[in-house]
Amino acid sequence: MRLKTSLLKEPKHKELVSCVGWTTADELYSCSDDHQIMKWNLLTSETTRVVKLPDDIYPIDLHWFPRSIGGKKQSHAESFVLTSSDGTPVYSVAWGPDSEKVLYTSGKHLIIKPLQPNAKVLQWKAHDGLILKTDWNSVNDLILSAGEDCKYKVWDSYGRLLYSSQPHEYPITSVAWTVDGELFAVGSFHTLRLCDKTGWSYALEKPNTGSIFNIAWSIDGTQLAGACGNGHVIFAHVVEQRWEWKNFEITLIKRRTMEVHNVINDAVDLLEFRDRVIKASLNYGHLVVSTSLQCYVFSTKNWNTPLIFDLKEGTVSLILQAERHFLLVDGGGLYLYSYEGRLISSPKFPGMRTDILNVQTVSLSNDTLAVKDKADEKVIYIFEALSGKPLGDGKPLTHKAEIVEIALDQKGLTSERKIAFIDKNRDLYITSVKRFGKEQKIVKIGTMVQTLAWNDTSNILCGIQDTRFTVWYYPNTVYVDKDLLPKTLYEKDASEFSKNPQIVSFVGNQITIRRADGSLIHLNISPYPAILHEYVSSSKWEDAVRLCRFVKDQTMWACLAAMAVANKDMATAEIAYASIGEIDKVQYINSIKDLPSKESRMAHILLFSGNTQEAETLLLQTGLIYQAIQVNINLYNWDRALELAVKHKTHVDTVLAYRQKFLEDFGKKETNKRFLQYAEGLEVDWNKIKAKIEMEIARERERAAASPAVRASVTVQQ
């Protein structure tokens, strides 16, 4: 990626240009120490003088009133504010993302001042010289600063340094974010630099401008204007952006032209567009391109006949793709389209701000859309993709801490869809998106996680935790057998990726990681776990066992064990657990096989996965009261066991007998008033109790024999 710059032969201003500001994607205003305000039309290349300021006013900064906020058009859109100086300027001020804080410079310090009275002010020393410019992005919440110490820096909103440049030859006089927060520009003497949001540099231009005192990006983020010390206004637009997917490499070679390169057969195609390209995304066999007025959908199988439809309004700020459809985000809303160009849905939620969404805060799968709320950062709204309605009971997912990144898995059944997210403590959690009343378990599966990505073809998750690159081959293990999770991971040292690496993509067996210096690293992982996922999703259990025997890897056996239990295939689970030496679990599985009825077996499989409440509910619903009581006795849930026995007027003596034996074994005396109350005048007769238990088991066997259990959902070899 680089900047293509352009300058007029003669400057339009007679003195240094102090500030510039865009009104539309093709119209700009500039102010200068010559007291002139000029209007630039980039379509007609005309420059006209708007106003001559009084001789004692020297403009410093210019801000146009936003044309739209949250998709709503503003009535004051033709107004701008101009600041001037009588020789004692405040060098730079920027609004916070929520407009509730102001960032400003004071000498070598940056100060964040909340607008609420008595709120704490955050201040830190940011540079070794005077700070000349700062900017705060509303999408990524990151801060830029530029100083007379010849460095530019990137900070988070807590004042933590994320990136510091090497010293330049001259002071850095300007910095500015693109609207979407993916790029920023840096200006200095005869210097214009384009940088990634993490700090590393894409391109360096050396135009004949003098110092660039102010930089303003156009609303669509495709071009910038710079206020130059020699009276010029420099224009530059972003070209040579690149997109990669499998064997395709696509480059934006001109503002309206893309080049497609197939690296397998070296074929090259040129794609021409009517208007300039603003956003593009390449994934799942499709290239989606948005221009200022239209959206183009190409299939990677045929580049000649794109599907084209007109865009409603606003500039597209984000494109997300799933296998079956894609999402367009603009200032007005979220729009889900099929690859045939049909509008599927347009989800909404209260207080929705689409203008500040990015790939970390929106996630899309074939059946689900997840959006992180900006008003309350602990909340994730989850929608049904096809209808646009909230999923399940309509309540959003709420976490205990602020969430920074979300990601939906891409494959499998809708009912099993999972979402992974990182919170501000850098802990990684996973939970199901299906939420009907009962509180779904949100389980922590990683700590100090910097970045994550789901695989495109199977539900395998990868991330970088602290100094380790980790792959969770079957994250669902936490819901099946939590103790088994560490055995289902692949880990390697991540120190080679340097500080703050980012996972770019996880396609097939290849993971692409971008280091802090901008270089890409490609990692390949074993193809076997993905094949195992495929076998299990097709219920090819024998093939899955054969694969594990062939690979001879403990991680594969551990994944198969968890997959088998999740799918209630206890015969396969027994083989897999035996192969990793989990003998106690093999014995428990064997005991499940000997249970008299299908309902009991199902309940004990739920118990095996730690789902005690579901196991009890199943037994009670099918009339197996004694078995529900016995489950609670085995788990030492004494109060619940007694509660069930009293409620159903059966086996009160059984509960009291087991409780008495338990206390005797530990040399303790009964202190629970409820147990003392029911034990009064009741004599424990073990022979009578054992006879009653045998009768219950016999009755269960008779019932099972009368209605043969359907073995489709539970495969158990008797």
Side-chain angles (χ1 to χ4, degrees), residues 577-590:
Y577 275 115
S579 300
I580 54 173
E582 301 261 359
I583 305 306
D584 54 335
K585 288 170 186 171
V586 174
Q587 288 170 339
Y588 187 75
I589 291 166
N590 272 317

Side-chain angles (χ1 to χ4, degrees), residues 455-458 460 506-511 523-531:
N455 185 250
D456 65 331
T457 53
S458 53
I460 298 172
F506 185 7
V507 177
N509 306 318
Q510 191 176 77
I511 296 149
L523 283 181
N524 283 300
I525 61 164
S526 166
Y528 297 121
I531 298 169

Side-chain angles (χ1 to χ4, degrees), residues 153-392:
K153 298 183 181 184
V154 183
W155 311 85
D156 70 11
S157 55
Y158 301 100
R160 289 182 295 221
L161 181 65
L162 302 179
Y163 179 86
S164 175
S165 73
Q166 293 296 315
H168 285 58
E169 207 175 335
Y170 298 98
I172 308 294
T173 45
S174 54
V175 281
W177 286 109
T178 52
V179 177
D180 64 7
E182 291 299 310
L183 303 169
F184 66 89
V186 178
S188 182
F189 183 75
H190 288 342
T191 300
L192 182 62
R193 191 182 282 277
L194 179 68
C195 301
D196 182 77
K197 64 182 176 188
T198 53
W200 57 273
S201 181
Y202 274 111
L204 174 66
E205 302 295 327
K206 300 295 268 183
N208 186 22
T209 54
S211 289
I212 298 174
F213 288 105
N214 184 265
I215 295 171
W217 284 92
S218 62
I219 295 151
D220 60 16
T222 61
Q223 58 189 332
L224 62 81
C228 308
N230 61 2
H232 274 291
V233 171
I234 187 171
F235 292 93
H237 57 264
V238 179
V239 291
E240 292 182 19
Q241 280 172 282
R242 291 160 68 91
W243 296 266
E244 290 180 4
W245 181 76
K246 293 195 173 174
N247 52 301
F248 291 101
E249 199 175 69
I250 296 177
T251 309
L252 183 70
I253 53 171
K254 293 179 190 168
R255 304 173 81 180
R256 297 180 179 87
T257 310
M258 283 179 155
E259 183 182 86
V260 180
H261 180 207
N262 185 338
V263 296
I264 289 178
N265 58 14
D266 237 12
V268 173
D269 290 273
L270 285 181
L271 312 178
E272 301 280 351
F273 301 92
R274 192 184 72 188
D275 308 293
R276 68 169 168 273
V277 172
I278 292 171
K279 286 282 174 191
S281 177
L282 175 63
N283 215 333
Y284 296 103
H286 290 90
L287 169 69
V288 181
V289 179
S290 74
T291 66
S292 46
L293 297 170
Q294 293 176 309
C295 181
Y296 294 71
V297 183
F298 296 86
S299 165
T300 54
K301 292 171 185 169
N302 181 6
W303 298 105
N304 300 321
T305 52
L307 185 131
I308 306 169
F309 60 90
D310 291 336
L311 292 169
K312 289 192 162 121
E313 58 175 319
T315 299
V316 171
S317 58
L318 181 65
I319 303 172
L320 280 185
Q321 288 178 260
E323 189 180 14
R324 293 181 198 156
H325 41 233
F326 64 93
L327 182 78
L328 295 183
V329 180
D330 66 20
L334 304 165
Y335 306 99
L336 195 70
Y337 287 92
S338 70
Y339 286 111
E340 290 75 46
R342 180 174 58 87
L343 179 63
I344 299 168
S345 67
S346 182
K348 291 178 177 62
F349 60 86
M352 182 168 80
R353 285 276 310 274
T354 54
D355 54 326
I356 51 177
L357 296 176
N358 63 9
V359 287
Q360 275 80 42
T361 54
V362 191
S363 186
L364 179 68
S365 74
N366 282 337
D367 43 56
T368 311
L369 172 69
V371 184
K372 192 191 88 168
D373 188 12
K374 188 70 184 174
D376 182 354
E377 306 227 19
K378 298 175 183 177
V379 169
I380 302 170
Y381 286 95
I382 299 172
F383 301 94
E384 209 173 69
L386 298 182
S387 67
K389 291 175 182 170
L391 201 65

Side-chain angles (χ1 to χ4, degrees), residues 72-119:
K72 293 175 187 161
K73 292 238 179 335
Q74 300 296 304
S75 56
H76 308 289
E78 299 304 316
S79 313
F80 66 85
V81 62
L82 185 73
T83 60
S84 66
S85 162
D86 58 0
T88 58
V90 170
Y91 280 96
S92 192
V93 178
W95 281 103
D98 51 10
S99 299
E100 290 176 1
K101 299 186 186 87
V102 171
L103 166 73
Y104 62 94
T105 67
S106 175
K108 301 174 183 179
H109 291 78
L110 285 175
I111 299 167
I112 295 176
K113 182 176 174 54
L115 299 186
Q116 301 95 330
N118 305 321

Side-chain angles (χ1 to χ4, degrees), residues 55-67:
D55 287 350
D56 60 341
I57 289 183
Y58 290 87
I60 285 191
D61 211 349
L62 166 75
H63 280 280
W64 279 91
F65 196 86
R67 294 203 149 231

